[in-house]
Amino acid sequence: MKKLIYIASVLSATLFAVSCSKDVLDLDNPNALTSASAYNYEADINAALIGVYHAFNGGFYNLDHSLIFSGQSDECISYSPDTGLVDFVSFKYPDYSRNWNKVTWNALYNQIARCNQVIEYSENVQEWKTYSKEEILAQAKAIRAWAFYQLTMLYNHPPYVDYVAPASDQPAGTEYSVLCEKIIEDAKYAYDKLPANYNSGVWKGQYRVNKAFAAVILAKTYMNWDGKYAEAAKYYKDVIDNGYAVNGEKLALVDDYLWNSDTDHENNCEAVFEIQFAQTVQSAGGYWAAFGWGYNDGATPDRGNWRWKFMAATPVGWGDYDAEAWMLYAFKNEKTVRDTPRTKAGMYDQRLECSLLYTDIFTDYPGHMQWQWSENQPQYWREGRAYINKYTNWFGGNYVSTIQDEEPTNYRVFRLGEIYMDYAECLAQTGDLQGAIAQIDIVRERAGLAKLSEREPVESIYLNPLTGETLDLNKDYGYAAIKAGNPTLADVMSVIDIEDVKESCFEGDRLVDLRRWGVADMSGDFYKKVAARSSKYKTNFASHKAWMPIPNAEVNNNPNLEQVSGY
């Protein structure tokens, strides 16, 4: 049974009650308090804080986070019969208020509003006995920082609102640099005040945000704020050396890569923070809630995860999102040199089986089971296509869902494998190329691969039928220079481009990574590489589309808010 973050203590009946079962939850409205005067006691503030955590269970984190941060990157393509979805994935954006975009904006501001209630109304409490005011504020500020980080990385200049806003509020957009400063301010407070783990105290054993969570937000913000890599590196190193996982253990890579996206090994020692999903009996709109029809505001949060239905291949999933086929060739540019829990030496690395479905997977991984099948099903899976396995929870006989197509796999928000890759980038960008290579090698070792200085390439050449361009997933990407011992920064960054997608594809980082690496410079070498492997970047991309458009209703109804330039 999955331990739930939601409260372990008994609260007043005027607030809410929560079951500790993963399977059957009774979540009443955590935001039932209706005015500031109701927040007079520390239990009121703790209840409001739980409302902040409940906001992780809604249409954005259950689905739209993946559709935006991964779906709009070079990881995904759509062949869906839903032409509106295909347009969206392909950067056409005929409607800036399409539900994927609208729900993202609304859900993140919903969570921010809850954080603001906790922070502002905590000043009403005169006596703190059970809870630490500083730790409650630190949790609220850490989550507010994360919500604003996502808004900022998507929309460039969303309004910064750090107060309990009236319905009539029409805040102006905030400059990107100011937003980064505000995010850093919140995250630093959280970093200083949050415990390293919850192995003791009033929240013992609960899955709450910790010091490492705040450190990762700091590092990511610095990386994406005019390339402040030295500052980011300090926090990544601290997480790697001293950080604790969500389960209270010291952070460490798990041996079996599948444990980072399956149901049976959630809240393990590699995860800094996970969103706790579960199969639910009650419903707050099912997957339609993710699109704004019956939008889940978290009052009775539907704890199911819906992303799998859109991203898994047919016939079990809807197949609305496929993986870009170039990724398959990236994975296949070498073979392993040692055994891992999932593979023997001489096979392709275990991350490929866990990340992609393709027609030859049953040959490449003998014994592989895709739902009920141990061989290709040509009526469903086409030669030359790649499909998404990660987080779809339907290979190895592990398929499970409710009648409303919800399934219970936790979403790993931050994990150590991703952090090693980000730290490698920071080291490379600050001149320590060999240090960067050493961090990449740590991640590669878990996959059973040789050190970069010792790797033997396997020919992997991809002719993209949609762009007409040919990619050599070895020669075009800097591996030879590293093996020869004379890499440049460009070589190392080119390798990070490929190694990063192998380690953390479909985990919600890629869209921001591409922009940081220069995809908006359409005359640059990096854009040309991306456009060669991803047809949507070649055909429909423009520099301003490195950002998402602000939903129409927000701009039209707020004279103080300007649309992202170019839209």
Side-chain angles (χ1 to χ4, degrees):
M1 180 184 296
K2 181 189 303 180
K3 282 186 182 177
L4 300 177
I5 188 169
Y6 306 95
I7 194 160
S9 58
V10 178
L11 298 180
S12 165
T14 59
L15 301 178
F16 61 96
V18 182
S19 166
C20 290
S21 168
K22 170 174 176 169
D23 302 312
V24 182
L25 299 173
D26 179 17
L27 302 181
D28 296 332
N29 189 350
N31 292 80
L33 302 175
T34 56
S35 70
S37 62
Y39 295 86
N40 291 324
Y41 302 100
E42 58 178 342
D44 301 342
I45 303 302
N46 188 55
L49 179 62
I50 295 170
V52 171
Y53 281 101
H54 279 187
F56 283 119
N57 295 116
F60 173 63
Y61 290 107
N62 291 14
L63 174 63
D64 295 319
H65 179 276
S66 298
L67 304 192
I68 296 280
F69 283 102
S70 292
Q72 298 307 103
S73 76
D74 63 344
E75 293 175 345
C76 293
I77 192 169
S78 178
Y79 300 100
S80 173
D82 181 344
T83 57
L85 187 152
V86 173
D87 284 347
F88 178 81
V89 176
S90 302
F91 297 123
K92 292 183 180 178
Y93 302 146
D95 178 7
Y96 298 168
S97 290
R98 188 168 174 89
N99 285 292
W100 282 260
N101 202 32
K102 177 178 68 177
V103 170
T104 295
W105 180 278
N106 290 342
L108 288 170
Y109 273 113
N110 174 292
Q111 190 167 46
I112 288 165
R114 296 181 181 205
C115 292
N116 291 341
Q117 286 182 324
V118 171
I119 294 165
E120 185 168 324
Y121 295 152
S122 66
E123 299 306 316
N124 293 358
V125 178
Q126 300 301 312
E127 187 174 39
W128 295 83
K129 289 183 177 180
T130 303
Y131 304 104
S132 162
K133 177 182 177 181
E134 287 187 338
E135 287 188 14
I136 281 184
L137 291 176
Q139 290 178 63
K141 289 188 176 187
I143 295 171
R144 183 170 72 178
W146 175 231
F148 268 121
Y149 171 87
Q150 293 171 94
L151 281 167
T152 302
M153 293 304 116
L154 290 176
Y155 302 108
N156 183 265
H157 61 270
Y160 187 76
V161 180
D162 60 352
Y163 49 88
V164 177
S168 60
D169 198 36
Q170 293 184 325
T174 305
E175 290 183 8
Y176 183 86
S177 60
V178 174
L179 285 163
C180 290
E181 290 174 354
K182 294 293 188 180
I183 294 165
I184 293 292
E185 181 181 331
D186 269 354
K188 277 188 174 178
Y189 181 94
Y191 178 81
D192 290 339
K193 304 297 184 183
L194 284 174
N197 58 62
Y198 293 95
N199 293 337
S200 62
V202 67
W203 294 303
K204 181 179 179 179
Q206 296 186 26
Y207 299 136
R208 294 179 177 246
V209 296
N210 62 12
K211 189 182 190 75
F213 179 88
V216 175
I217 296 171
L218 285 165
K220 285 183 176 293
T221 305
Y222 278 127
M223 285 180 79
N224 290 287
W225 182 15
D226 296 331
K228 300 181 187 298
Y229 287 102
E231 291 90 339
K234 292 186 299 184
Y235 289 103
Y236 281 133
K237 186 176 190 306
D238 181 50
V239 173
I240 291 168
D241 291 347
N242 306 306
Y244 281 80
V246 66
N247 65 2
E249 299 178 22
K250 279 289 278 121
L251 280 167
L253 296 177
V254 296
D255 292 332
D256 189 334
Y257 182 77
L258 179 61
W259 289 12
N260 290 312
S261 57
D262 73 352
T263 304
D264 294 335
H265 303 93
E266 296 165 335
N267 301 304
N268 61 49
C269 63
E270 186 164 340
V272 173
F273 182 69
E274 299 186 8
I275 297 174
Q276 308 293 315
F277 290 137
Q279 285 186 298
T280 56
V281 174
Q282 65 183 16
S283 173
Y287 48 74
W288 301 117
F291 301 143
W293 299 299
Y295 173 66
N296 180 2
D297 67 356
T300 53
D302 191 329
R303 301 280 311 290
N305 185 350
W306 312 315
R307 60 173 279 172
W308 79 276
K309 192 66 176 178
F310 291 79
M311 303 189 93
T314 57
V316 179
W318 288 335
D320 286 308
Y321 284 74
D322 286 2
E324 287 269 24
W326 72 269
M327 295 167 60
L328 176 59
Y329 292 82
F331 274 108
K332 287 195 165 190
N333 70 354
E334 63 186 304
K335 293 187 175 182
T336 59
V337 297
R338 65 181 67 86
D339 294 351
T340 74
R342 305 194 65 80
T343 57
K344 298 293 185 182
M347 296 175 64
Y348 294 113
D349 91 56
Q350 60 176 325
R351 298 173 298 182
L352 172 55
E353 182 189 22
C354 299
S355 300
L356 301 180
L357 165 65
Y358 55 101
T359 56
D360 291 337
I361 195 170
F362 306 96
T363 303
D364 292 341
Y365 298 93
H368 177 87
M369 286 290 296
Q370 194 74 27
W371 194 33
Q372 62 189 18
W373 293 295
S374 59
E375 60 183 5
N376 182 43
Q377 303 297 305
Q379 71 270 37
Y380 302 125
W381 311 323
R382 299 185 184 182
E383 190 78 30
R385 290 250 187 112
Y387 306 93
I388 300 170
N389 251 352
K390 185 180 286 184
Y391 279 124
T392 60
N393 200 22
W394 72 290
F395 72 94
N398 201 29
Y399 166 73
V400 57
S401 79
T402 67
I403 193 170
Q404 286 203 327
D405 297 315
E406 301 163 337
E407 64 90 29
T409 306
N410 282 5
Y411 185 68
R412 282 68 162 176
V413 176
F414 302 139
R415 63 177 182 84
L416 188 57
E418 159 206 353
I419 290 165
Y420 274 120
M421 292 304 302
D422 282 350
Y423 184 43
E425 180 181 345
C426 291
L427 292 177
Q429 292 287 355
T430 53
D432 186 0
L433 299 184
Q434 292 305 314
I437 292 167
Q439 299 303 311
I440 301 169
D441 281 341
I442 292 172
V443 175
R444 287 171 54 84
E445 182 179 8
R446 189 253 299 274
L449 300 175
K451 291 183 177 181
L452 285 168
S453 61
E454 300 170 358
R455 75 182 286 275
E456 294 296 331
V458 173
E459 184 176 80
S460 188
I461 298 175
Y462 173 49
L463 172 60
N464 188 330
L466 299 178
T467 67
E469 300 196 49
T470 299
L471 288 79
D472 187 321
L473 273 298
N474 286 297
K475 293 180 180 178
D476 294 345
Y477 283 92
Y479 285 101
I482 291 179
K483 185 172 183 179
N486 57 354
T488 64
L489 173 60
D491 293 324
V492 174
M493 288 303 301
S494 188
V495 167
I496 286 174
D497 177 18
I498 299 301
E499 295 297 316
D500 185 78
V501 84
K502 291 181 182 181
E503 177 60 26
S504 58
C505 60
F506 313 121
E507 294 185 27
D509 284 314
R510 190 72 175 177
L511 184 66
V512 179
D513 291 343
L514 294 180
R515 186 175 62 238
R516 186 175 65 253
W517 295 340
V519 75
D521 178 6
M522 297 181 68
S523 63
D525 291 340
F526 182 70
Y527 167 76
K528 293 174 183 176
K529 279 187 177 180
V530 175
R533 65 201 187 202
S534 175
S535 61
K536 67 186 185 184
Y537 277 89
K538 182 172 184 176
T539 305
N540 300 318
F541 186 74
S543 293
H544 67 276
K545 293 181 180 180
W547 305 94
M548 294 296 296
I550 297 173
N552 286 332
E554 303 301 325
V555 177
N556 294 341
N557 295 326
N558 182 354
N560 300 314
L561 181 60
E562 295 182 0
Q563 184 58 266
V564 174
S565 179
Y567 285 106

